[in-house]
Amino acid sequence: MLDVKWIRENSAEFDAKLKMRGLEPLSPKVLEIDDERRAHLAALQEAQAKRNAASKEIGKAKASGDEAAAQAAIDEVAKIKSFIQSGEDTEREINQRLEALLSTIPNLPHDDVPVGADEDANELVRTVGEVPSFEFEPKEHFEIGESLGLMDFEVAAKMSGSRFVLLSGALARLERALTQFMLDLQTGEHGYTEVSPPMLVKDNALYGTGQLPKFEEDLFKTTTEHYLIPTAEVPLTNIVADCTIEESYLPRRYTAFTPCFRSEAGSAGRDTRGMIRQHQFLKVEMVSITSPEQSEAELERMTGCAEEVLKRLGLSYRVMKLCTGDMGFGARRTYDIEVWLPGQNCYREISSCSVCGDFQARRMNARYRPEGAKHLKFVHTLNGSGLAVGRTLVAVLENYQQADGSVIIPEVLRPYVGGKERIAPLNA
RNA sequence: GGAGAGGUGGCCGAGUGGUUUAAGGCGGCGGUCUUGAAAACCGUUGAGCGUUUGCGCGUUCCGGGGGUUCGAAUCCCUCCCUCUCCGCCA
């Protein structure tokens, strides 16, 4: 959510940044409602002041037994009563109209974000590691998994339909190992506090992080009006909803390992094979709550925390700065980390780290008390995957596959799989 | 799921229609006193919005939302949350 006052005072910049996102100017629409609201509020408050003064007089008159004076004042106030009554309704109506508009306006991009319509305009920040070469034709992860007999899409489809997978044996264990490894790294070395959050949330939590009201079709909803979280960003960021935090407590850094649920509405036909795009996947998420001064540096730090997972797994990747057209609704700047997948012969997104400024904080009313300052300010929020576990599993399988169909387990994961070094086909 | 009790400022806690502008206490901040500190005493202490160059003024906020009334923390409706007991349950 953007600040109306800011839009009022910087309408040209507001429209220019919307244009960077490929949107039409909205300041006329916003300011029209804002003007209407302020004009109405002034009139309403004047009437309320009059009423309050009269009511006080009535109280005094009654206390002193002067019924005639009391009645006269009551008659006087009765005239403005209907205006106050309808005026309060009007105020609500205008506020709702303004909020309905503001809540669907995306965050404004930073000046350094490249302008573009889609991922082709994303900017390469750095490439890390060599693209591995194979002496055989590398397979895609689902071929590897299925021939190992440990990855089954048909069994999953039988009970759940498309876009689900069932892992078993060493692959299920490998997935668990990845989560443990990631959590240990982010909590033990990067200072994130581990959280085990609710995975069903109410609509206001999703409003706070920006998934609602605009993107409801991407979510799963229960019969109890709960939503399944599409990412742990939702419960982790909402920890500070409606809170006032002392500046000395910032930054807060949270991490959680959770399943994520996405309906993938509108992505029919994309990544239909394999584990890349599922309705349900595991993810280790990082969220930082910072002061405005810290948030820029925190994005670099968080991206580094995600990259470290790939470095230790020995996987090659590149970091992309997303262009305006590819950035999410709440982001001011986003780095995507793309891991090299030999089977697909391309880089695929495995993490996305975003700084949201005060956009989410405003929606969820998360503030802090700046030291020495008089007024409360909104915190800044950041979120990033550290990493998407399913896609990391895919990357390990494709990058560590051997000619005989087996898969070497990266060294850092071996403590988590009982020392096992290789996953071999069952019949081998 | 059934029955009951609650939700008031940073915290505790009073307040059942009108000098409540939310008592009192704790904590915080400032001051007096003191070599310094403590104690004691005095003062001060929330958020949002509108308006204003500024000082300020106005308005809203007692879990959320709505209603009754000239006037609501207080009465009514509704939703949320917490606690206690019972039932069911990993």
Side-chain angles (χ1 to χ4, degrees):
Chain A
M1 181 91 77
L2 300 170
D3 182 8
V4 200
K5 207 183 288 179
W6 184 88
I7 296 175
R8 197 188 301 152
E9 288 160 7
N10 303 274
S11 56
E13 185 183 351
F14 170 65
D15 287 331
K17 292 212 160 168
L18 287 180
K19 195 178 177 192
M20 287 170 71
R21 283 242 192 203
L23 295 170
E24 294 300 309
L26 285 169
S27 71
K29 224 168 170 180
V30 172
L31 295 184
E32 185 193 327
I33 301 176
D34 184 50
D35 287 344
E36 184 186 347
R37 176 181 136 266
R38 287 188 299 152
H40 176 73
L41 203 55
L44 176 63
Q45 290 188 352
E46 191 184 334
Q48 285 171 327
K50 208 180 271 182
R51 176 203 63 194
N52 290 348
S55 293
K56 207 170 281 183
E57 288 307 311
I58 294 166
K60 270 186 198 164
K62 290 225 174 192
S64 64
D66 189 347
E67 287 297 327
Q71 193 54 49
I74 289 173
D75 293 342
E76 186 62 30
V77 173
K79 293 175 192 162
I80 52 173
K81 192 198 166 171
S82 66
F83 172 73
I84 291 177
Q85 193 111 37
S86 67
E88 286 173 352
D89 290 343
T90 307
E91 186 197 354
R92 263 194 292 281
E93 184 271 322
I94 296 173
N95 282 337
Q96 278 170 14
R97 205 144 33 92
L98 184 60
E99 184 171 330
L101 176 59
L102 287 178
S103 67
T104 58
I105 298 174
N107 204 353
L108 302 179
H110 258 288
D111 292 325
D112 61 26
V113 171
V115 177
D118 54 38
E119 60 183 32
D120 293 335
N122 292 346
E123 185 180 299
L124 176 66
V125 178
R126 59 183 165 272
T127 304
V128 178
E130 299 287 313
V131 168
S133 58
F134 287 80
E135 301 192 343
F136 56 96
E137 186 67 28
K139 293 175 180 162
E140 292 208 49
H141 69 278
F142 49 85
E143 300 174 275
I144 302 164
E146 285 176 332
S147 65
L148 285 170
L150 302 174
M151 183 183 292
D152 200 321
F153 295 93
E154 282 176 31
V155 171
K158 180 172 63 181
M159 57 186 99
S160 304
S162 64
R163 295 203 189 279
F164 288 92
V165 67
L166 183 140
L167 302 178
S168 56
L171 274 195
R173 176 78 184 257
L174 184 61
E175 183 183 53
R176 178 157 58 92
L178 282 167
T179 70
Q180 295 281 91
F181 162 66
M182 291 178 197
L183 277 176
D184 283 353
L185 178 64
Q186 307 305 4
T187 60
E189 298 186 41
H190 294 156
Y192 285 84
T193 299
E194 186 169 351
V195 172
S196 177
M199 290 157 220
L200 290 173
V201 296
K202 296 188 294 183
D203 55 2
N204 65 321
L206 288 151
Y207 179 85
T209 39
Q211 282 82 10
L212 290 180
K214 235 182 164 177
F215 307 101
E216 175 156 28
E217 63 171 17
D218 295 334
L219 302 166
F220 286 110
K221 191 177 189 177
T222 71
T223 54
T224 54
E225 301 290 306
H226 288 94
Y227 292 86
L228 279 71
I229 57 169
T231 160
E233 169 198 343
V234 177
L236 287 181
T237 310
N238 272 280
I239 290 173
V240 296
D242 292 312
C243 283
T244 301
I245 301 165
E246 293 301 325
E247 181 166 21
S248 57
Y249 281 99
L250 297 177
R252 314 294 303 158
R253 296 191 177 104
Y254 300 112
T255 185
F257 157 61
T258 67
C260 303
F261 303 92
R262 299 184 183 179
S263 77
E264 294 301 335
S267 58
R270 290 182 65 192
D271 304 309
T272 49
R273 291 216 61 184
M275 287 181 63
I276 292 291
R277 193 175 301 276
Q278 302 272 286
H279 284 311
Q280 172 193 325
F281 61 96
L282 304 179
K283 183 155 60 72
V284 171
E285 180 77 359
M286 302 175 284
V287 161
S288 295
I289 314 295
T290 75
S291 68
E293 294 75 25
Q294 296 171 318
S295 62
E296 290 298 308
E298 184 71 9
L299 178 63
E300 304 302 320
R301 182 188 192 276
M302 178 180 277
T303 307
C305 292
E307 287 180 66
E308 189 61 25
V309 176
L310 293 171
K311 284 180 185 165
R312 297 203 189 183
L313 287 171
L315 296 170
S316 305
Y317 65 91
R318 65 182 188 182
V319 178
M320 308 294 290
K321 188 196 282 184
L322 295 195
C323 75
T324 51
D326 207 18
M327 265 195 331
F329 182 72
R332 293 172 76 168
R333 185 195 291 115
T334 298
Y335 291 124
D336 266 14
I337 301 174
E338 300 180 342
V339 69
W340 177 256
L341 296 183
Q344 291 199 7
N345 197 42
C346 65
Y347 287 100
R348 289 302 302 255
E349 175 188 344
I350 199 167
S351 173
S352 191
C353 299
S354 300
V355 58
C356 299
D358 63 5
F359 187 82
Q360 294 179 322
R362 213 173 269 287
R363 287 173 160 251
M364 64 177 80
N365 193 29
R367 296 174 298 174
Y368 76 105
R369 195 180 304 282
E371 267 164 48
K374 203 173 167 192
H375 287 289
L376 303 182
K377 287 168 82 172
F378 289 106
V379 298
H380 279 198
T381 61
L382 300 96
N383 62 80
S385 2
L387 306 165
V389 176
R391 289 189 180 181
T392 310
L393 182 77
V394 167
V396 168
L397 292 180
E398 293 198 8
N399 281 278
Y400 285 89
Q401 62 179 303
Q402 305 299 305
D404 65 0
S406 68
V407 175
I408 303 284
I409 295 175
E411 258 180 63
V412 290
L413 295 180
R414 291 181 193 168
Y416 298 96
V417 292
K420 197 178 173 84
E421 294 175 8
R422 175 193 292 261
I423 301 173
L426 289 176
N427 54 8

